[in-house]
Amino acid sequence: MSLNHVRPWRNIYRRKSRQIMVGSVPVGGDAPISVQTMTNTVTTDIPGTIAQVQAAAEAGADIVRVSVPDEASSKALREITRESPVPIVADIHFHYRRGIEAAEAGAACLRINPGNIGSQDRVREVIQAARDHGCSMRIGVNAGSLEKHLLEKYGEPCPEAMVESGMDHIRILEDNGFHEFKISVKASDVFLAAAAYQGIAEATDKPIHLGITEAGGLTSGTIKSAIGLGNLLWMGIGDTIRVSLSADPVEEVKVGYEILKSLGLRHRGVNIISCPSCARQGFDVIKTVEELERRLEHIKTPMSLSIIGCVVNGPGEALMTDVGFTGGGAGSGMVYLAGKASHKMSNDQMIDHIVEEVEKKAAELEAEAAKAQAAE
Ligand code: SF4
């Protein structure tokens, strides 16, 4: 990650982790922090599941997880992995055969806890299938389903118990010479999750999948995830994230990106900086931002846009954004380009105009990036 020498207070020093591949997506090391989500369709509803995977990928998901609870789902997975534009992680619980079937069906990664699938022979069979089909794995420790002996030892789910559980699963894979895996230690309680993640981050160099499990609905889950994941990411912990919401997977992807964008860890699309508005606003800031968010969803190029109600904060914010608009009065405002006041625009034409300016800027940035790549 490039460090900001001008504003060192913005730097995040990422924990050094081993890099693995989830299909074509690198996770860990210096790879960008990837954003994941999970389908909530019945996996055997193949068209429905593929549509959801595609929508999530379109929204920016790098990796999508699909539940594989039974043999019919493993069969469906074959078609889903074939049609998916992004690597698919198969979510397996307990049934080692599902793990083998999922690897054969083209899953890029198996979410499976080796300690929960029975004998050493079964573990070896799953590892062999993963090796044969180029699959990585994710160990997924969850505070709600800790092993009985750990609950007896610690009395309740606690960070130490979660780390111990994680390290036990890690040992099983490593003892079998398998190292292509990442690990998560999720809890719905942000304190517990944060402490467990800090513990596991110290105990191993494996890439970390971050998540606050069962975080809740769109608003409460977003806030919980932003606090829990945000703190960990700020500490430099986390190589891939999933925001769990009782909402559409596309919302999970959007929230994931917003968390990464807020920390400057990843950029995608237009980062809108807008004021909350007040009596001084020269136009309806809230409605404008809502409409611009909708109309600029198609832009994938990272760029910034400031939409500010008046000159109290407008020119200052516009200085640091690619495109800006500041309300002025008398039915018009000032358009800023690359931080400089450029021209006036009437409020009633402003939304169409800003969309055009952003599209123009995105095309310019894409052309520059293409040129730079060609020069390499
Ligand atoms: S920038 Fe202006 S309109 Fe926006 S909240 Fe501040 S004072 Fe109000």
Side-chain angles (χ1 to χ4, degrees):
M1 179 172 314
S2 60
L3 293 178
N4 189 329
H5 297 289
V6 182
R7 301 184 184 94
W9 34 269
R10 299 196 58 164
N11 288 334
I12 290 178
Y13 297 90
R14 270 179 77 186
R15 160 185 169 267
K16 286 194 176 29
S17 61
R18 197 173 183 278
Q19 188 171 93
I20 65 160
M21 296 302 289
V22 174
S24 55
V25 177
V27 174
D30 57 2
I33 296 170
S34 44
V35 175
Q36 309 200 19
T37 185
M38 185 169 179
T39 54
N40 55 23
T41 48
V42 176
T43 305
T44 47
D45 168 10
I46 298 172
T49 305
I50 291 172
Q52 211 173 55
V53 170
Q54 281 168 339
E58 185 56 33
D62 301 293
I63 298 168
V64 175
R65 181 156 50 115
V66 174
S67 244
V68 185
D70 48 32
E71 204 181 335
S73 302
S74 321
K75 287 207 175 104
L77 198 65
R78 196 172 288 274
E79 210 167 317
I80 295 164
T81 58
R82 201 169 47 225
E83 293 297 318
S84 173
V86 292
I88 296 290
V89 180
D91 194 81
I92 314 287
H93 286 274
F94 307 113
H95 297 288
Y96 84 109
R97 287 258 16 124
R98 300 291 92 76
I100 296 168
E101 289 160 6
E104 289 168 354
C109 178
L110 307 176
R111 188 275 193 204
I112 194 165
N113 288 348
N116 298 349
I117 55 178
S119 69
Q120 270 294 319
D121 282 350
R122 288 181 173 187
V123 171
R124 274 195 284 273
E125 273 189 67
V126 173
I127 290 175
Q128 194 52 48
R131 277 208 181 98
D132 290 348
H133 298 278
C135 246
S136 51
M137 290 193 199
R138 170 169 56 107
I139 293 170
V141 173
N142 197 312
S145 55
L146 278 175
E147 291 81 2
K148 211 164 143 232
H149 74 276
L150 290 173
L151 287 176
E152 275 162 14
K153 177 175 170 185
Y154 290 97
E156 61 169 6
C158 61
E160 294 77 14
M162 292 171 70
V163 173
E164 189 169 329
S165 171
M167 294 309 289
D168 288 345
H169 292 297
I170 286 180
R171 211 165 300 117
I172 296 174
L173 293 182
E174 288 190 331
D175 285 351
N176 283 283
F178 192 80
H179 300 278
E180 301 309 298
F181 62 89
K182 55 199 168 95
I183 182 160
S184 61
V185 282
K186 295 188 182 184
S188 57
D189 176 275
V190 285
F191 295 99
L192 179 53
Y197 271 114
Q198 286 175 71
I200 204 79
E202 274 176 27
T204 177
D205 69 346
K206 296 295 179 281
I208 287 181
H209 167 116
L210 284 188
I212 302 296
T213 197
E214 290 121 26
L218 184 55
T219 304
S220 58
T222 296
I223 292 168
K224 233 189 210 184
S225 298
I227 292 171
L229 305 192
N231 264 302
L232 288 161
L233 290 164
W234 203 326
M235 285 180 220
I237 297 172
D239 301 291
T240 181
I241 65 169
R242 186 228 171 161
V243 172
S244 300
L245 300 174
S246 306
D248 191 307
V250 164
E251 299 298 334
E252 294 190 349
V253 177
K254 284 187 190 167
V255 173
Y257 263 99
E258 288 305 326
I259 292 173
L260 295 177
K261 272 194 215 168
S262 306
L263 290 168
L265 286 167
R266 197 136 175 222
H267 304 278
R268 180 185 198 271
V270 184
N271 188 16
I272 301 183
I273 288 133
S274 58
C275 76
S277 80
C278 72
R280 287 200 180 89
Q281 65 182 355
F283 62 99
D284 189 333
V285 174
I286 295 175
K287 264 205 192 135
T288 303
V289 170
E290 271 172 13
E291 186 160 355
L292 282 171
E293 275 181 345
R294 196 175 48 74
R295 290 192 50 190
L296 295 173
E297 260 183 1
H298 64 292
I299 306 280
K300 298 188 172 65
T301 314
M303 58 182 291
S304 52
L305 166 67
S306 55
I307 300 294
I308 307 290
C310 79
V311 291
V312 170
N313 288 325
E317 291 294 349
L319 259 183
M320 293 177 278
T321 49
D322 294 305
V323 178
F325 184 81
T326 296
S332 70
M334 180 61 75
V335 177
Y336 292 77
L337 299 176
K340 294 193 177 69
S342 173
H343 52 273
K344 277 194 161 183
M345 180 53 55
S346 67
N347 289 351
D348 52 359
Q349 288 170 31
M350 177 266 263
I351 292 184
D352 285 344
H353 184 70
I354 294 290
V355 171
E356 268 172 38
E357 290 290 356
V358 168
E359 284 173 344
K360 209 163 39 174
K361 184 75 192 171
E364 218 176 281
L365 291 170
E366 277 162 33
E368 273 171 30
K371 213 166 126 190
Q373 211 172 13
E376 269 177 29

